[in-house]
Amino acid sequence: MSSDAESEAAKLKQQAQKRQEEVAKAAGVSVEELIASVKSGTGTVYNDKTEVLKENLLSAMKERLICVASTGLDSNKSQTNVILYYSVAVALLFLIGGQGILF
């Protein structure tokens, strides 16, 4: 049992070390600097403060805006009033369906 627990602890330590390296790389500091700043409480690393994330977010937002713009919505072109069409269709169905009851 103790060897299983020790091997599990070793795996968890390796995973933690990999995560620390990833966070330090994203923050642009060394692992030692990251650990020191977290222990001292002076520095906290958030994902939104890294340059890589900002660049990815910017390009993702540009792609999203391009997709929305290409859906055919144009501010210079008048849009059809679909609510009017739906209300006319409902009124016609109401009149057809209520012929024997309403009049």
Side-chain angles (χ1 to χ4, degrees), residues 79-101:
Q79 303 295 320
T80 59
N81 192 354
V82 270
I83 295 176
L84 178 64
Y85 296 136
Y86 286 143
S87 59
V88 169
V90 168
L92 287 175
L93 289 174
F94 180 73
L95 289 175
I96 293 171
Q99 265 182 342
I101 299 171

Side-chain angles (χ1 to χ4, degrees), residues 41-94:
T42 58
T44 307
V45 179
Y46 295 102
N47 285 343
D48 61 347
K49 297 197 178 185
T50 61
E51 288 297 319
V52 175
L53 184 62
K54 287 181 183 178
E55 291 174 6
N56 290 341
L57 181 64
L58 184 62
S59 64
M61 185 57 79
K62 283 181 183 178
E63 290 174 14
R64 177 184 249 176
L65 289 173
I66 289 171
C67 288
V68 169
S70 67
T71 59
L73 298 177
D74 189 7
S75 63
N76 297 328
K77 196 181 203 183
S78 65
Q79 303 295 320
T80 59
N81 192 354
V82 270
I83 295 176
L84 178 64
Y85 296 136
Y86 286 143
S87 59
V88 169
V90 168
L92 287 175
L93 289 174
F94 180 73

Side-chain angles (χ1 to χ4, degrees), residues 28-50:
V29 297
S30 67
V31 176
E32 293 79 20
E33 291 172 339
L34 177 70
I35 292 171
S37 66
V38 171
K39 283 184 179 180
S40 67
T42 58
T44 307
V45 179
Y46 295 102
N47 285 343
D48 61 347
K49 297 197 178 185
T50 61

